[in-house]
Amino acid sequence: MAASGDEPRIVRHDVVDSTSERAFAEIAAARARNMDVHVARGQTIGRGRLGRAWDSPPGAGLYASFVLMPPGPWNPAALTIALGLSVLDVVHDLGATHAALKWPNDVVVDRAKLAGVLAETRDLDPRRPCYVAGIGVNVARRDFPAALVAERPVTSLAASGVSCSVDDVLRRLVRAVPERCAQIEFAVERLESDFVRAAGLRECRVRAEVASGPLLGELVRLSIAEGLVIRPDFGAEMRFALEHVRALAPI
Ligand code: BTN
């Protein structure tokens, strides 16, 4: 991002509806700056991907939303991958060395979800693009509501053996997010190769969930510009735009 030199401005909230809502409210009021970071102790209506809720009890996790204002629009898949990698960099650095990425940008430990990212835009103006990157990391919690666990396995840094504070995570994230976002413009091939490695997809058979249904085959290439290229077990190579890939995992 050309504006990557902008100093982060941390905006602290107590318990709010959603840090991403607070970020959008500042954008609407023309008070937002690149690298504003809205952080809350808790959220009452934390949002997750695909219309899900993000359970956000006070003090138990990092709930942060970054305002990102690059000079020109970003490829949405590139942003998604950059943000997932930035969270992964942070949790690796803190000692969760087994953490991995799950398509498109869930951070998991032994398949249990540790962190999630929700990148949003509203009324995107290509001349003055603005994104809100909402990041939730389970830090201290060891108990999760039964309804959440019934949906999928979940974990936290504490439950994965990493003892740190919410602020430790935040401090690292304010460095990692602009570093990874700069790669969208200057080192996109690095994002592609780091993602493939972080998701355990290198040189292996994969299962992809695309518009026509599930597809099994060999991953030939994952390219932000060209999309996902798979050689199916039966038939010729196929290519899919990344935004049409619903799931992608090694088998
Ligand atoms: C996911 O479903 O994996 C994405 C979860 C994103 C949660 C974060 S917490 C901070 C920010 N505010 C929200 O309301 N959601 C995001």
Side-chain angles (χ1 to χ4, degrees):
M1 4 215 264
S4 61
D6 291 350
E7 278 302 304
R9 183 169 67 169
I10 311 286
V11 185
R12 289 191 185 267
H13 305 271
D14 190 37
V15 177
V16 288
D17 48 358
S18 151
T19 53
S20 295
E21 267 326 303
R22 293 306 95 223
F24 277 118
E26 291 302 290
I27 293 166
R31 286 192 297 257
R33 293 203 315 228
N34 181 50
M35 277 304 290
D36 279 356
V37 187
H38 290 261
V39 190
R41 202 166 64 80
Q43 301 182 117
T44 51
I45 42 174
R47 286 201 295 273
R49 291 180 59 246
L50 309 172
R52 297 197 182 103
W54 186 259
D55 192 47
S56 315
L62 173 76
Y63 318 115
S65 295
F66 287 69
V67 176
L68 301 171
M69 296 173 159
W74 279 331
N75 176 309
L79 177 59
T80 299
I81 287 175
L83 292 171
L85 284 169
S86 65
V87 182
L88 189 70
D89 291 343
V90 167
V91 301
H92 278 172
D93 192 37
L94 285 164
T97 50
H98 288 90
L101 282 184
K102 177 171 173 289
W103 183 265
N105 58 12
D106 283 356
V107 178
V108 295
V109 174
D110 296 332
R111 295 173 184 238
K113 185 153 169 168
L114 173 66
V117 178
L118 177 67
E120 298 175 286
T121 58
R122 284 185 190 165
D123 307 320
L124 185 72
D125 175 354
R127 289 162 310 167
R128 300 175 61 210
C130 181
Y131 304 87
V132 173
I135 297 175
V137 183
N138 297 324
V139 177
R141 58 194 312 197
R142 288 175 182 275
D143 294 319
F144 295 91
L148 195 63
V149 179
E151 254 176 52
R152 62 168 303 171
V154 276
T155 190
S156 67
L157 285 167
S160 311
V162 175
S163 156
C164 66
S165 69
V166 170
D167 270 354
D168 291 333
V169 183
L170 176 65
R171 262 194 302 277
R172 285 169 169 80
L173 210 48
V174 295
R175 284 202 306 268
V177 167
E179 275 171 21
R180 283 294 184 177
C181 286
Q183 294 179 340
I184 298 174
E185 283 164 43
F186 304 116
V188 82
E189 63 298 333
R190 177 77 194 274
L191 290 179
E192 293 161 350
S193 59
D194 284 359
F195 177 82
V196 167
R197 193 178 51 242
L201 294 167
R202 209 159 47 172
E203 290 167 18
C204 65
R205 288 182 77 240
V206 297
R207 182 181 192 280
E209 196 71 55
V210 291
S212 53
L215 183 69
L216 302 182
E218 193 187 318
L219 177 69
V220 178
R221 196 161 54 253
L222 187 148
S223 149
I224 283 160
E226 290 169 41
L228 175 71
V229 182
I230 291 185
R231 185 175 303 119
D233 290 346
F234 305 100
E237 272 183 21
M238 299 173 83
R239 190 161 66 81
F240 307 93
L242 294 185
E243 58 269 31
H244 296 146
V245 178
R246 287 199 283 264
L248 176 65
I251 44 176

